């Protein structure tokens, strides 16, 4: 039997590609338009160089921290991603893995598992919402998450509904009807281990969003919920402040890329902001999150916690984000590759990879704690940063 352990996130992705039906893998890969933002999220970390020390290293290093009022074994948070139909246990498997490794679980409102089931697997759930539906339906969904035990709220507001991809988009049915199953069969039969996992579980992906049911009704399909979201008028900053006022715990505004927006978020009363371009799935040519991080962290980092979401593939990336001002990072595709490759154990494998890489970076940089990481630990190219939302001087 082949070894299920993998040594890098890149290997997890290769295994996920071999295991998943091609439309499912393409849905995880995602991206937008030309894929500029998607590629830059990962490539930008390679432009940052470490400045390691040669002696005086510490035999023990502390990687634990706090964020959003929670204790973290390392500065990593599971980022919410929708409809994790890559594995029968989906978000519950991810939540268990995160709990076993001592980190919080971000749960998408578009998840394939209920907030109640996920909160039972991980006591530190951060429930994610979009500005979707009426205020009454939003309040009902927040009440449900609160009753389930969610510790924090993540509001994602940066989505611009860009659909085109130069490499093509996967064909995903709204419901897994008999006709859809027949059309999908060739893809599933080509990935028999994935199909066997679902058959053994006694269920198939139903492509619904159970956390978006209202009034005791049925869960909407993913595309039905997506349609509701598209038809909801975009929020104002007053709406952001209203939403924040409805949640009495930690509140994260996700998708911030501009310094002026970060300042407005502080005024709206958020607890934290996530610097993100939505994994490169949103408005293409938005810079990599790590390029936008320093300016935002310098401006508001003393007032709110600043998280980095985008492009994390190794522990060294985590160290670089912390050195440039992040309190913690959020990971998305990295754990999804692990989930697809080997279920809960695969997610734990990914988290162990990140922890080991972070520990190596802290050791090599001569520190005893992640709290000591700073810009002095890096060589940053002169043209690396992108400070958006500030007045730019014009010469000549």
């Amino acid at each position: 039997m082949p070894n299920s352990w993998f040594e890098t996130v890149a290997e997890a992705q290769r295994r996920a590609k071999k295991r998943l039906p091609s439309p499912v893998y393409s849905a995880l890969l995602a991206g937008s338009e030309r894929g500029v933002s998607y590629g830059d999220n990962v490539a930008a970390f390679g432009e940052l160089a470490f400045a390691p020390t040669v002696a005086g290293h510490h035999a023990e290093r502390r990687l634990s921290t706090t964020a959003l009022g929670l204790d973290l074994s390392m500065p990593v948070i599971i980022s919410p991603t929708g409809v994790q139909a890559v594995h029968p246990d989906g978000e519950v498997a991810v939540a268990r893995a995160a709990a076993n490794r001592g980190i919080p679980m971000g749960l998408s409102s578009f998840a394939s598992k209920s907030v109640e089931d996920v909160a039972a697997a991980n006591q530190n759930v951060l429930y994610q919402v979009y500005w979707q539906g009426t205020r009454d339906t939003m309040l009902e969904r927040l009440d449900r998450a609160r009753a389930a035990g969610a510790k924090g709220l993540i509001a994602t507001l940066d989505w611009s509904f860009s659909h085109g991809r130069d490499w093509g988009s996967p064909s995903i049915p709204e419901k897994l009807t008999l006709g859809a199953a027949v059309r999908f069969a060739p893809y599933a039969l080509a990935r028999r281990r994935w199909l066997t996992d679902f058959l053994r579980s006694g269920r198939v992906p139903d492509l619904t969003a159970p956390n978006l049911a209202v009034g005791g009704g049925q869960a909407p399909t993913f595309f039905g919920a997506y349609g509701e979201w598209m038809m909801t008028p975009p929020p104002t900053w007053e709406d952001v402040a209203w939403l924040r006022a409805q949640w009495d715990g930690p509140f994260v505004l996700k998708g911030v890329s501009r310094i002026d927006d970060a300042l407005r978020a502080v005024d709206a009363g958020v607890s934290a902001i996530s610097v993100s371009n939505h994994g490169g799935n949103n408005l293409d040519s938005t810079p990599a999150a790590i390029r936008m991080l320093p300016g935002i962290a310098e401006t508001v980092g003393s007032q709110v916690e600043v998280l980095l979401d985008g492009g994390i593939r190794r522990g060294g990336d985590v160290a670089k984000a912390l050195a440039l001002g992040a309190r913690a990072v959020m990971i998305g595709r990295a754990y999804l590759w692990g989930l697809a490759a080997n279920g809960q154990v695969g997610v734990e494998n990914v988290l162990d990879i990140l922890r080991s890489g972070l520990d190596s970076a802290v050791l090599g940089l001569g520190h005893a704690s992640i709290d000591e990481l700073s810009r002095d630990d890096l060589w940053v190219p002169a043209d690396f940063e992108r400070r958006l939302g500030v007045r730019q001087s014009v010469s000549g």
Side-chain angles (χ1 to χ4, degrees):
M1 184 175 180
N3 185 3
S4 61
W5 179 83
F6 44 84
E7 61 181 323
T8 66
V9 172
E11 176 58 24
Q13 181 176 354
R14 285 189 287 269
R15 295 189 188 186
K17 186 175 183 179
K18 291 180 180 179
R19 190 180 187 91
L20 295 175
S22 59
V24 178
Y25 176 78
S26 295
L28 292 192
L29 191 64
S32 175
E33 301 290 344
R34 290 185 297 170
V36 172
S37 297
Y38 172 82
D40 196 33
N41 267 353
V42 176
F45 280 99
E47 297 178 24
L48 298 169
F50 282 126
T53 60
V54 71
H57 296 155
H58 297 268
E60 296 182 359
R61 279 83 53 195
R62 184 178 66 78
L63 306 183
S64 61
T65 189
T66 60
L68 305 175
L70 303 173
D71 293 326
L72 282 62
S73 67
M74 61 176 172
V76 174
I77 297 169
I78 297 294
S79 190
T81 60
V83 190
Q84 294 172 16
V86 301
H87 187 276
D89 293 333
E91 294 86 356
V92 172
V94 178
R96 289 172 181 155
N100 287 345
R101 294 301 184 266
I103 65 172
M105 169 72 186
L107 179 68
S108 172
S109 54
F110 277 75
S112 61
K113 304 295 183 184
S114 73
V115 63
E116 291 84 4
D117 288 346
V118 173
N122 188 316
Q123 64 178 353
N124 290 326
V125 167
L126 307 171
Y127 185 68
Q128 180 266 346
V129 297
Y130 295 100
W131 186 260
Q132 175 180 356
T134 67
R135 285 191 174 191
D136 286 342
T137 58
M138 292 180 206
L139 288 174
E140 181 177 336
R141 290 162 178 165
L142 293 188
D143 287 343
R144 178 179 173 183
R146 187 182 293 110
K151 298 291 178 62
L153 192 70
I154 300 173
T156 304
L157 304 180
D158 63 324
W159 194 248
S160 60
F161 302 101
S162 176
H163 300 289
R165 300 180 178 97
D166 286 356
W167 53 94
S169 297
S171 177
I172 304 295
E174 182 172 4
K175 293 182 179 180
L176 201 58
T177 61
L178 178 60
V182 170
R183 290 190 295 273
F184 188 76
Y187 301 110
L189 290 173
R191 296 291 187 267
R192 297 197 177 189
R193 287 191 298 167
W194 177 87
L195 179 61
T196 299
D197 284 345
F198 273 96
L199 292 176
R200 285 175 176 169
S201 73
R203 56 185 182 271
V204 296
D206 66 0
L207 305 180
T208 63
N211 296 307
L212 294 177
V214 294
Q218 288 187 331
T221 65
F222 176 86
F223 288 108
Y226 192 82
E228 178 193 46
W229 178 22
M230 287 186 69
M231 296 300 293
T232 303
T236 64
W237 280 106
E238 288 74 20
D239 291 325
V240 175
W242 173 85
L243 185 61
R244 199 282 169 262
Q246 310 312 308
W247 190 265
D248 56 4
F251 182 100
V252 183
L253 183 62
K254 187 174 182 294
V256 176
S257 60
R258 297 169 58 100
I259 290 173
D260 52 1
D261 277 353
L263 290 167
R264 292 188 184 103
V266 172
D267 291 341
V270 307
S271 313
I273 60 174
S274 171
V275 180
S276 169
N277 61 20
H278 215 112
N281 295 333
N282 193 27
L283 189 61
D284 196 31
S285 296
T286 303
I290 189 66
R291 298 189 191 278
M292 301 183 290
L293 172 66
I296 292 174
E298 289 171 15
T299 304
V300 301
S302 62
Q303 302 173 76
V304 297
E305 293 181 335
V306 178
L307 311 176
L308 181 285
D309 190 350
I312 299 292
R313 297 294 185 272
R314 60 196 78 245
D317 297 340
V318 180
K320 291 174 181 179
L322 267 59
L324 291 182
R327 181 70 182 179
V329 305
M330 304 180 79
I331 61 169
R333 288 185 182 89
Y335 77 79
L336 289 175
W337 303 140
L339 178 65
N342 198 25
Q344 175 183 332
V345 174
V347 179
E348 292 170 351
N349 195 157
V350 166
L351 295 175
D352 291 343
I353 289 169
L354 296 182
R355 183 177 186 86
S356 176
L358 176 60
D359 186 56
S360 293
V362 175
L363 170 64
L365 294 168
H367 297 313
S369 166
I370 57 171
D371 294 336
E372 299 172 9
L373 291 167
S374 73
R375 195 180 180 107
D376 291 339
D377 294 311
L378 304 177
W379 178 79
V380 182
D383 61 349
F384 179 79
E385 294 183 30
R386 303 291 186 270
R387 297 189 175 224
L388 311 182
V390 294
R391 188 180 299 276
Q392 300 182 21
S393 61
V394 179
S395 59

